[in-house]
Amino acid sequence: MILGMKVRKHDIQEMLKFNSKILEFHFSDSDLNLTLNTTFDKQLMVHCYEYFDRKIVDMVSLKETHQIHSKEKSIELVQAAIDKTVELNEHFVGTPSIIVHPGGYSLEELSSEDIQLMKNTLHDSVKQLDTKNIHLLLENMPPYGWFYGGRWNSNIFLDSSDLLDYCKNTKNKVCFDLCHSQLYCNKQNISFLDQLEQICDYTSHFHLSDAEGSEEEGLQYGEGTLPFKEVIPILNRYPSTSFAIEVWKGHEEGGKGFGEFLDKINKEGLDIT
C-alpha cells in the first residue's frame, strides 16, 4: 500500500523522514491562508476542516444553529477548501485529493424521516461542488462525535451499504476510516470485516488506528479490538491504494506515535511502499 503521512505546516519537515508518497494536511479554518515556499515530489491530500469560525461544517444540515452552519454555507466552505487545495497543488505532483466529513450531526436522536432526508441531501450537496481538478473523498463517520465538550450523534455515512450507494450514484470513491467503522460495528453488533469487504473496491484512501467500544478512537496499534491480523491480508490486495495513520497525538515528538504504529503494522505484514 502507498504510505501517506498526516502533517501540519509546522511539522512538515519532521514528517518527511517517513518518506511517504503522500502528505495529508490536516486543515483548520486558518489554513485558507496557508502558503508554502517549498515544492515536494509527493502527492497532496487535504483533510477538510470540521469547524469554521467556531461552527460545525455540515453539508446535510437541516437548519442553521448557533453551533452548526447551514447546508448552503457548509457547501460554500467545503468549496473554499477545495479551491485552496487546488492552489496548493502547484507545489506537488499529480492530482490532489480532499477528504471531507459529510456531516449529519445532532445532539438529540433524530427521526428516521430526518435521517433519510439527510441521506438524500448528501448526493445533491456533493453535486454542487466543483471537483473537476481534484479527487473528492467523503469519509465514513463514527457513531459519535465530540464537539463543544459534548457527545453528538452521527446519523449518516456510517454503514458500508450507504457508502456503496453513494459511490455508485456519484462515481466517486471514499476515504474509509477503519477505526470509525469498528466503532460503528461495535455499537451495532455487526461484522467489521463484512463492512470492510463491501467497500474496499470503492476506497481510494484508508485511515488506520485502533478502536475500543463505540467511542474510543485513535488508539495505538493493539490497544483496541480492531482485528488487524484479518485486516492486513485484505488491505494487501490493494497495493495502489493509499493510507495514513490517525493515532491520537501521533504527530507529537516528531511523529513518535505514527512511527510506532507504522513499525507494528509493518511487522504484522502490511506491504508498504
Side-chain angles (χ1 to χ4, degrees):
M1 298 188 75
I2 299 169
L3 176 62
M5 187 56 57
K6 302 278 288 192
V7 299
R8 296 164 177 79
K9 183 178 179 179
H10 68 271
D11 62 18
I12 294 174
Q13 293 304 315
E14 282 188 303
M15 298 305 170
L16 291 177
K17 67 187 178 186
F18 291 105
N19 296 315
S20 66
K21 294 184 178 179
I22 297 169
L23 295 181
E24 182 182 328
F25 281 74
H26 188 93
F27 259 25
S28 65
D29 52 6
S30 65
D31 285 313
L32 288 183
N33 300 315
L34 177 65
T35 58
L36 296 173
N37 301 315
T38 308
T39 57
F40 301 91
D41 187 26
K42 301 177 185 294
Q43 286 189 284
L44 171 64
M45 190 171 285
V46 163
H47 196 302
C48 187
Y49 35 67
E50 291 184 80
Y51 291 94
F52 200 95
D53 287 341
R54 299 185 297 277
K55 291 177 69 171
I56 299 169
V57 177
D58 188 334
M59 291 201 300
V60 299
S61 171
L62 298 178
K63 63 179 180 180
E64 182 177 9
T65 71
H66 68 285
Q67 294 174 310
I68 300 180
H69 285 292
S70 68
K71 175 189 70 175
E72 293 76 16
K73 182 63 175 178
S74 295
I75 294 170
E76 177 186 319
L77 292 170
V78 172
Q79 185 64 58
I82 288 172
D83 295 343
K84 185 63 180 182
T85 303
V86 172
E87 175 191 320
L88 290 173
N89 198 54
E90 295 176 359
H91 299 271
F92 296 84
V93 298
T95 302
S97 300
I98 187 166
I99 298 166
V100 178
H101 288 186
Y105 309 113
S106 67
L107 274 171
E108 72 285 353
E109 295 286 338
L110 295 184
S111 66
S112 57
E113 290 79 13
D114 280 344
I115 292 173
Q116 189 59 50
L117 177 58
M118 285 180 163
K119 290 181 178 181
N120 295 342
T121 298
L122 180 61
H123 294 189
D124 179 65
S125 294
V126 166
K127 288 177 182 177
Q128 294 182 50
L129 297 170
D130 179 1
T131 60
K132 62 179 178 293
N133 295 313
I134 199 166
H135 298 305
L136 174 68
L137 306 176
L138 295 192
E139 181 174 349
N140 61 307
M141 302 305 297
Y144 304 110
W146 294 89
F147 302 111
Y148 308 110
R151 192 180 80 170
W152 292 59
N153 300 298
S154 297
N155 294 292
I156 68 165
F157 232 60
L158 297 154
D159 197 276
S160 287
S161 62
D162 289 332
L163 276 66
L164 197 59
D165 178 66
Y166 163 81
C167 292
K168 290 181 176 179
N169 276 279
T170 65
K171 310 304 180 187
N172 291 331
K173 289 196 170 184
V174 295
C175 170
F176 193 69
D177 189 306
L178 301 189
C179 169
H180 288 177
S181 182
Q182 178 71 32
L183 296 174
Y184 167 68
C185 291
N186 287 345
K187 180 175 183 288
Q188 299 297 121
N189 195 27
I190 59 176
S191 168
F192 165 77
L193 293 175
D194 287 349
Q195 291 281 303
L196 176 61
E197 289 277 18
Q198 280 187 62
I199 200 61
C200 273
D201 287 346
Y202 296 87
T203 299
S204 180
H205 186 66
F206 288 95
H207 280 162
L208 305 187
S209 65
D210 214 336
E212 179 76 36
S214 60
E215 297 182 30
E216 294 184 55
E217 61 179 303
L219 303 182
Q220 185 55 256
Y221 188 98
E223 293 182 357
T225 59
L226 208 147
F228 281 108
K229 288 187 178 179
E230 289 78 22
V231 167
I232 288 171
I234 297 172
L235 296 182
N236 281 340
R237 301 202 307 254
Y238 299 88
S240 61
T241 300
S242 59
F243 75 97
I245 296 161
E246 280 204 324
V247 173
W248 176 245
K249 295 186 176 181
H251 63 285
E252 295 183 351
E253 298 182 58
K256 180 180 177 181
F258 292 157
E260 180 181 341
F261 192 105
L262 191 61
D263 287 344
K264 288 180 178 179
I265 200 165
N266 192 15
K267 288 177 182 175
E268 288 291 340
L270 185 67
D271 296 330
I272 302 171
T273 60

